[in-house]
Amino acid sequence: LTQPPPWGINTNIRLTLPVVCFVWQIAMIILFGVFIRYDEESDTHWVETKAHDNITSDIENDFYFRYPSFQDVHVMIFVGFGFLMTFLKRYSFGAVGFNFLIASFGLQWALLMQGWFHSLDPQTGKIFIGVESLINADFCVAGCLIAYGAVLGKVSPVQLLVMTLFGVTLFAVEEYIILNLLHARDAGGSMVIHTFGGYYGLTISWVLYRPNLHQSKRMQGSVYHSDIFAMIGTLFLWMFWPSFNSAITDHGDGQHRAVINTYLCLASTVLTTVAISSLSQKTGKLDMVHIQNSTLAGGVALGTAAEFMISPYGALIVGFFCGIISTMGYIFISPFLEKTLKIQDTCGIHNLHAMPGVIGGIVGAITAAAASESVYGKQGLINTFDFTGDFKDRTVLTQGGYQAAGMCVSIVFGVVGGAIVGSILKLPIWGDPADENCFDDEVYWEVSEPESIPPILEYNNHMIHKQQDL
Amino acid sequence: LTQPPPWGINTNIRLTLPVVCFVWQIAMIILFGVFIRYDEESDTHWVETKAHDNITSDIENDFYFRYPSFQDVHVMIFVGFGFLMTFLKRYSFGAVGFNFLIASFGLQWALLMQGWFHSLDPQTGKIFIGVESLINADFCVAGCLIAYGAVLGKVSPVQLLVMTLFGVTLFAVEEYIILNLLHARDAGGSMVIHTFGGYYGLTISWVLYRPNLHQSKRMQGSVYHSDIFAMIGTLFLWMFWPSFNSAITDHGDGQHRAVINTYLCLASTVLTTVAISSLSQKTGKLDMVHIQNSTLAGGVALGTAAEFMISPYGALIVGFFCGIISTMGYIFISPFLEKTLKIQDTCGIHNLHAMPGVIGGIVGAITAAAASESVYGKQGLINTFDFTGDFKDRTVLTQGGYQAAGMCVSIVFGVVGGAIVGSILKLPIWGDPADENCFDDEVYWEVSEPESIPPILEYNNHMIHKQQDL
Amino acid sequence: LTQPPPWGINTNIRLTLPVVCFVWQIAMIILFGVFIRYDEESDTHWVETKAHDNITSDIENDFYFRYPSFQDVHVMIFVGFGFLMTFLKRYSFGAVGFNFLIASFGLQWALLMQGWFHSLDPQTGKIFIGVESLINADFCVAGCLIAYGAVLGKVSPVQLLVMTLFGVTLFAVEEYIILNLLHARDAGGSMVIHTFGGYYGLTISWVLYRPNLHQSKRMQGSVYHSDIFAMIGTLFLWMFWPSFNSAITDHGDGQHRAVINTYLCLASTVLTTVAISSLSQKTGKLDMVHIQNSTLAGGVALGTAAEFMISPYGALIVGFFCGIISTMGYIFISPFLEKTLKIQDTCGIHNLHAMPGVIGGIVGAITAAAASESVYGKQGLINTFDFTGDFKDRTVLTQGGYQAAGMCVSIVFGVVGGAIVGSILKLPIWGDPADENCFDDEVYWEVSEPESIPPILEYNNHMIHKQQDL
């Protein structure tokens, strides 16, 4: 009678999940043992480095330039992304918990992958890490968490870990191509993080299309308190986005300017998001989905140009249009994607990351191409676009072209990578939930009683029993 | 039959809200285009400034002195104020969401208004902004968010935007008078932020008095989880208040001392708040309203004196009395205000901001008047009170007088400004809710089902149907 | 008929709580007045100090090295510990609120106690405080909050205040012995904070053993939303733990390295926690209790060694085993402790703090003993272990021995101190709840209606009345 469930509906992950966690973590330890070392600013030999380089004060350690931003980014990754996805009525454990799991794995793997591609020391064969490496690892993880948004509630934690393994790998490669080979600038990752992550997730969701997802319709949508939990995620993302876009920009004016631009851009996005959201309802009521998501689109879209001299009103303009486009995406494009293109995008990452990411890439390309010595100053232009070494003769127009090329690379990596990884995830071995059990924490979590409202229960029971007595 | 509702009960904001958002945001873009530029520390020409001013390291950029405090203040504005107001059982969307909206508009308008009054460059006609401008804009917004607390649940988002437009304008003028003309010190804004914002909101609430507000009595008060959400707001305000009071104080000892004073003062406030709250109930039970609000009064009351040499035990004393006074305000004064003065103060901002703000102004005046070279040191006294330029001959006694004068200015601006703006908001065109629909998110938000408790529902239905079968 | 309840079941704290709060706060004010002063970096005389010490920039003020870490630690104390304990279905007010109260008192008392032991100026008889003192006070408080976890829901706020008074006192003494006399290193407090706090709380809980605690069984366990609130605590602890372990380490590479180590260690812990949690259930489902708590064990266990050259893979290894051991502690050891040793440990602090703290002490001793000049560099070794002054001839092996001795001291102080304080708390005068009322906010808080679900209530009532009509 109790037959083993057919492949694909067996959500028992008692074997696969522990095995993957243990094996991968042991692999991380071995690879870290072989490759990863402290860099000169986090090593006890820093005292000698200081003497050698005539550094007079410990405050010159890169740690003090970047640590506050790093912690903000860290909050965005774990609280921001995690809580943003708690909006579903019964998938908050999965939202916060699996986000926690895959980010924790992803950042280790990212340190290795990004290390091999960006900072492998040819002499020692080692990767030397410091606070900037931690930020980059968090950034890399962000790409995978964006992708998680598209498949939220429809995959198993094992699938998520696989998705993260490949996602980080693809990320490191496309990042290497875009930043190192094309020498494009993308400090806040409009292209390398958001565009890539968005299309990676959307393509995976497309491959994993579930025609009968309506069977779990009762679990879709939010409840009052889950919407408020999600606002915790929204606000921490929104507030700390200036840190995100400035975390790895140049010391001094570079970080300063990226903060100002992002701060302004996001403020502008809020107003147009509210406007379109209100317009979309008969009586002008606001939709929480829009407020939770589209208000963030401006931060995404300024990921590339935040460090440029886009000027304060330029930042406002970008935010203005992103709020409009992203909100309209939720109203018009998401239903279209689901119906026509068969892309089920749980969190609407197309509207929050993919589309604004592409806008960000375009804005970056245009702003770069329009840069001039009169605005930036001679040295300022060189510093901002890093026109040094092999690239010292590059013109801003060429730079604009390479920026545009970078955006295409990120899309291609997202789509092709997503298609391949999606196919792997389609194998019936990963313990993903049946259509009728999607968006339900009960599948992978020990869930306690739904809500303890003894008084109401008691009151009703009391009434019921009173009637029975009658 | 379905007549259009009479003026004032038509809560359809589908026209007004989008129009206001769009028009004002476009105005912001144009005004920013005309007036706002990066300052020399956030401009790519910083490299030249550094060379010119013999600055040896990027770490000297003001960004690194103020950015951690700025982010803390930013969290206070959006998460702190937003979540503090989620305590009502069914107005959390409005609390967090409208707070988000008006802060996002307000900070843009504040950059312009404060720029025109404080930092308009006479030669270029431009306003140059940096991280300190962002902090000041957030501060200015805080004044309006305080005012929001008095009218929470009783106004439409359009009214809130109007209130913010005028609030920021009034703020910039009173701030100019207090800080520039009177040369009073008010780093944490006891006077310019809290006293002004408190009386501004209270007066508006007085003008908008609703005699039949009891009709929405069922929506007043909290539920268990809404009280916990509100504690998120409380704690982030409480924890980051040292950053608030030190964000724009002098580099070095100024910021350092303001943090210590605020940290101590707030700790002291918690104990006396708990004591009075416990005393107020027959069996010594604590009231969440007090814990959520009065614990913060110490931070408000040290807004002026935080940077002074008030000494650690002085800070404790201020906190000691603020906890007592604020909690007793909730117990005795709020009911009196509502009954006798017809001021309906949803969040009790009189007890959390207005009264402690006035205390803060008085403490500041006394501490300034009592300052001495023996305590401050000769240069320390000059630095702390900025006795330079036109004010180099001012004595501490005179300074104390001007501090007191500054407090009066903030009260006058709050009351008079609030009366005028309140009259404007009384016009029956803003879509505010009917008395019986106050404190209800359903008026302005698409609200999902209240809580998904299928099992309980199912259980009860099951019992009901079982009975029916009987 | 309405007799006064017998001793120990009278939970009326209307006299005791206000008296304790007022008297202790007044005592704090007096003691602060006598002893506490600003240190030279937070005093207005800093301008003279700068000139005297040839300090060229305000950025050299210790404030800028430590303030970002301080604020993160502050968040951990109030939001981290507070929300971590909200997991119980009906004790969230007590979790967040009493945590707030005892931390606010504890930090004041800690400034005095730690000041007397560590930094009393022999000439002036004063304690000079700065930002590092604030961090140390927060650290000291952490020990008491850990202990609170063991008795959560079973004690009155007055008992908690008494527990904190003695806890801070004991902490300051053991810290003095471990750090100053034994000259052990313990920057993140594996020993002085976690081991001490853990055993202090466990022993108190053992003394206060309640054989009939099952009478409040209905209040134990979590509900869906309380588990999500607890994740707020978990994540803020987890994210900011790198700041915790680096907050008072050496400027420069010391802080930098401690962050990297803690970041990596915690990531590793998440994976093994998930693995063991999944293994522990028949179908591989995850248990929220493990995710909320055991994921943090790595941070605890690296408290001593975080600043050492444990190397990145070493940090991963520590995290790896901590995740396993802590999670297995929840599965196997906690039930054993309760059944056999009669220790009722509400939050499982044995698995989260005591055991990982001991591991941290051992890891610290081994890592210290294994330190070498070839890895650390000559000066690096001296700096890291502070082999100066009286200790300039100490070898790393001796240091390892003293580290191990330090751990024993912390255990002894925890157990003996806990036994004494537990006996005091057993006196029937503190207003603790009866067995059947444990874990219930109603005892000490004015609690509003449990949840406002009028529609469901109405729907059911509607059905009920419909039936009655039938």
Side-chain angles (χ1 to χ4, degrees), chain C residues 30-42:
Chain C
I30 295 168
L31 290 169
F32 268 63
V34 176
F35 287 105
I36 306 272
R37 297 292 177 270
Y38 304 118
D39 72 5
E40 58 179 12
E41 300 190 286
S42 57

Side-chain angles (χ1 to χ4, degrees), chain B residues 100-390:
Chain B
F100 195 13
L101 171 64
I102 62 179
S104 296
F105 166 69
L107 60 86
Q108 298 178 55
W109 181 227
L111 281 169
L112 284 164
M113 282 301 304
Q114 293 184 316
W116 286 323
F117 274 97
H118 293 282
S119 56
L120 192 68
D121 186 62
Q123 284 186 303
T124 58
K126 304 295 180 200
I127 298 161
F128 296 98
I129 63 169
V131 66
E132 195 172 338
S133 321
L134 307 190
I135 297 170
N136 275 314
D138 273 15
F139 276 6
C140 182
V141 161
C144 298
L145 301 182
I146 290 164
Y148 179 23
V151 296
L152 182 76
K154 300 177 293 182
V155 293
S156 76
V158 183
Q159 281 176 306
L160 287 173
L161 282 166
V162 173
M163 208 171 118
T164 305
L165 178 78
F166 288 107
V168 167
T169 311
L170 289 161
F171 184 101
V173 178
E174 57 114 26
E175 188 191 36
Y176 177 72
I177 295 171
I178 294 172
L179 302 189
N180 295 43
L181 301 188
L182 302 179
H183 197 70
R185 304 291 289 174
D186 197 17
S190 286
M191 304 183 286
V192 297
I193 300 170
H194 298 285
T195 306
F196 165 74
Y199 286 106
Y200 181 61
L202 289 167
T203 314
I204 290 175
S205 187
W206 174 73
V207 176
L208 300 181
Y209 181 68
R210 288 168 178 263
N212 298 315
L213 193 58
H214 58 84
Q215 289 177 3
S216 55
K217 190 147 197 190
R218 75 193 184 290
M219 304 305 285
Q220 294 177 37
S222 62
V223 290
Y224 194 70
H225 282 164
S226 72
D227 268 327
I228 307 170
F229 279 118
M231 280 303 290
I232 296 175
T234 300
L235 288 176
F236 275 101
L237 286 171
W238 194 92
M239 297 180 304
F240 288 163
W241 215 294
S243 295
F244 193 91
N245 282 350
S246 70
I248 56 164
T249 51
D250 290 341
H251 289 177
D253 65 290
Q255 290 194 283
H256 205 149
R257 190 169 52 254
V259 161
I260 294 171
N261 288 336
T262 312
Y263 171 93
L264 291 173
C265 181
L266 282 165
S268 174
T269 311
V270 174
L271 270 89
T272 52
T273 298
V274 166
I276 300 294
S277 183
S278 177
L279 271 176
S280 74
Q281 300 283 347
K282 253 199 304 198
T283 58
K285 290 188 186 188
L286 299 173
D287 188 329
M288 257 293 164
V289 172
H290 306 155
I291 308 302
Q292 281 159 7
N293 293 282
S294 296
T295 50
L296 300 167
V300 173
L302 218 65
T304 302
E307 59 178 331
F308 301 162
M309 292 285 284
I310 193 170
S311 82
Y313 77 93
L316 290 182
I317 292 173
V318 173
F320 186 89
F321 288 107
C322 278
I324 297 173
I325 293 167
S326 176
T327 314
M328 292 180 77
Y330 278 95
I331 300 169
F332 299 113
I333 303 177
S334 283
F336 170 81
L337 285 182
E338 175 146 8
K339 245 193 219 158
T340 315
L341 296 187
K342 310 291 179 203
I343 299 175
Q344 292 155 331
D345 178 6
T346 314
C347 296
I349 64 163
H350 181 261
N351 313 306
L352 171 45
H353 296 283
M355 217 166 32
V358 171
I359 294 172
I362 296 169
V363 168
I366 294 172
T367 331
S372 68
E373 250 184 56
S374 67
V375 171
Y376 284 73
K378 190 177 161 64
Q379 190 60 38
L381 197 66
I382 293 170
N383 290 350
T384 306
F385 295 99
D386 208 7
F387 287 155
T388 53
D390 290 351

Side-chain angles (χ1 to χ4, degrees), chain C residues 55-289:
Chain C
I55 295 168
T56 52
S57 165
D58 280 323
I59 199 88
E60 299 282 336
N61 195 305
D62 194 39
F63 180 76
Y64 301 103
F65 288 89
R66 308 224 179 264
Y67 190 63
S69 312
F70 160 67
Q71 275 295 8
D72 293 349
V73 171
H74 215 41
V75 171
M76 292 173 75
I77 298 298
F78 290 90
V79 162
F81 281 103
F83 272 86
L84 184 64
M85 297 191 288
T86 58
F87 72 99
L88 288 171
K89 65 182 78 163
R90 276 284 134 173
Y91 208 72
S92 302
F93 289 8
V96 170
F98 295 154
N99 184 80
F100 195 14
L101 171 63
I102 62 178
S104 296
F105 165 69
L107 60 86
Q108 298 177 54
W109 181 227
L111 281 170
L112 284 163
M113 282 301 304
Q114 294 185 315
W116 285 323
F117 275 96
H118 293 281
S119 56
L120 192 69
D121 185 61
Q123 285 186 302
T124 59
K126 304 294 181 202
I127 298 160
F128 296 98
I129 62 170
V131 67
E132 195 172 338
S133 321
L134 307 189
I135 297 171
N136 276 314
D138 273 15
F139 276 5
C140 183
V141 161
C144 298
L145 300 182
I146 290 164
Y148 180 23
V151 297
L152 182 76
K154 299 177 294 182
V155 293
S156 77
V158 184
Q159 282 175 304
L160 286 174
L161 282 165
V162 173
M163 208 171 117
T164 305
L165 178 78
F166 288 107
V168 167
T169 311
L170 289 161
F171 184 101
V173 178
E174 57 115 26
E175 188 192 37
Y176 177 72
I177 295 171
I178 294 170
L179 302 189
N180 296 43
L181 301 188
L182 301 180
H183 196 71
R185 305 289 290 174
D186 196 17
S190 286
M191 304 184 286
V192 297
I193 300 170
H194 298 284
T195 305
F196 165 74
Y199 285 105
Y200 181 62
L202 289 168
T203 314
I204 290 174
S205 187
W206 174 74
V207 176
L208 300 180
Y209 181 67
R210 288 168 177 263
N212 298 316
L213 194 58
H214 58 83
Q215 290 177 3
S216 55
K217 189 146 198 193
R218 74 192 184 289
M219 303 306 283
Q220 295 177 37
S222 62
V223 290
Y224 194 70
H225 282 164
S226 72
D227 268 328
I228 307 172
F229 278 118
M231 279 305 290
I232 296 175
T234 299
L235 288 176
F236 275 102
L237 287 171
W238 194 92
M239 296 179 306
F240 288 164
W241 216 293
S243 294
F244 193 91
N245 283 349
S246 70
I248 57 164
T249 52
D250 291 341
H251 289 178
D253 64 291
Q255 291 193 283
H256 205 149
R257 190 169 52 254
V259 161
I260 294 172
N261 287 335
T262 311
Y263 170 93
L264 290 173
C265 181
L266 282 165
S268 174
T269 311
V270 174
L271 271 89
T272 51
T273 298
V274 167
I276 300 293
S277 183
S278 177
L279 270 176
S280 74
Q281 301 282 347
K282 253 198 304 196
T283 57
K285 289 189 186 188
L286 299 173
D287 188 330
M288 256 293 165
V289 172

Side-chain angles (χ1 to χ4, degrees), chain A residues 59-60 64-65 68-69 72 89-90 222-225 227-229 231-232 234-236 238-240 242-243 246 250-253 255-257 259-261 263-264 267-268 270-272 274-276 278-288 291 295 308-313 316-317 320 324 373-380 383-384 450-451 453 457 460-461 464-465 467-468, chain B residues 11-14 17-18 21-22 25-26 28-29 32-33 36-39 41-48 57-59 61-64 67-68 70-71 74-75 78-79 83 86 89-93 96 98 100-101 104-105 107-108 111 129-131 134 137-138 223 225-226 229 232 236 441-453 455-456 459-460 463-464 467 470:
Chain A
I59 199 89
E60 299 281 337
Y64 300 103
F65 287 90
S69 312
D72 293 349
K89 66 182 78 164
R90 276 283 134 173
S222 61
V223 291
Y224 194 71
H225 282 165
D227 268 327
I228 306 170
F229 278 118
M231 279 306 289
I232 296 175
T234 299
L235 288 176
F236 275 101
W238 194 91
M239 297 180 305
F240 288 164
S243 294
S246 71
D250 290 342
H251 289 177
D253 65 290
Q255 290 193 285
H256 205 149
R257 188 169 55 253
V259 161
I260 295 172
N261 287 336
Y263 171 93
L264 291 173
S268 173
V270 174
L271 271 89
T272 51
V274 167
I276 299 292
S278 178
L279 270 176
S280 74
Q281 299 281 347
K282 253 198 304 196
T283 58
K285 289 188 185 188
L286 298 173
D287 188 329
M288 257 294 165
I291 309 302
T295 51
F308 300 162
M309 293 285 283
I310 193 170
S311 85
Y313 77 93
L316 290 183
I317 292 173
F320 185 89
I324 297 173
E373 251 185 56
S374 66
V375 172
Y376 284 73
K378 190 178 161 61
Q379 191 59 39
N383 290 349
T384 306
E451 202 56 57
I453 321 185
L457 193 64
N460 285 331
N461 289 350
I464 288 163
H465 292 303
Q467 291 179 347
Q468 287 176 326
Chain B
T11 59
N12 189 330
I13 48 172
R14 197 181 178 188
L17 184 58
C21 285
F22 274 129
Q25 186 57 55
I26 291 168
M28 289 301 117
I29 291 173
F32 268 63
I36 307 271
R37 298 292 177 270
Y38 303 119
D39 71 6
E41 299 190 287
S42 57
D43 191 287
T44 43
H45 291 87
W46 162 247
V47 61
E48 295 154 27
S57 165
D58 279 323
I59 200 89
N61 194 304
D62 194 39
F63 181 76
Y64 300 102
Y67 190 63
F70 160 67
Q71 274 295 9
H74 215 41
V75 171
F78 290 90
V79 161
F83 273 86
T86 58
K89 64 182 79 164
R90 277 282 134 174
Y91 208 72
S92 303
F93 289 8
V96 169
F98 295 154
F100 195 13
L101 171 64
S104 296
F105 166 69
L107 60 86
Q108 298 178 55
L111 281 169
I129 63 169
V131 66
L134 307 190
D138 273 15
V223 290
H225 282 164
S226 72
F229 279 118
I232 296 175
F236 275 101
D441 270 336
E442 299 246 8
V443 180
Y444 302 114
W445 297 86
E446 289 291 310
V447 178
S448 50
E449 41 172 326
E451 202 57 54
S452 81
I453 322 186
I456 282 180
Y459 173 79
N460 286 330
M463 293 300 291
I464 287 163
Q467 291 178 346
L470 292 177

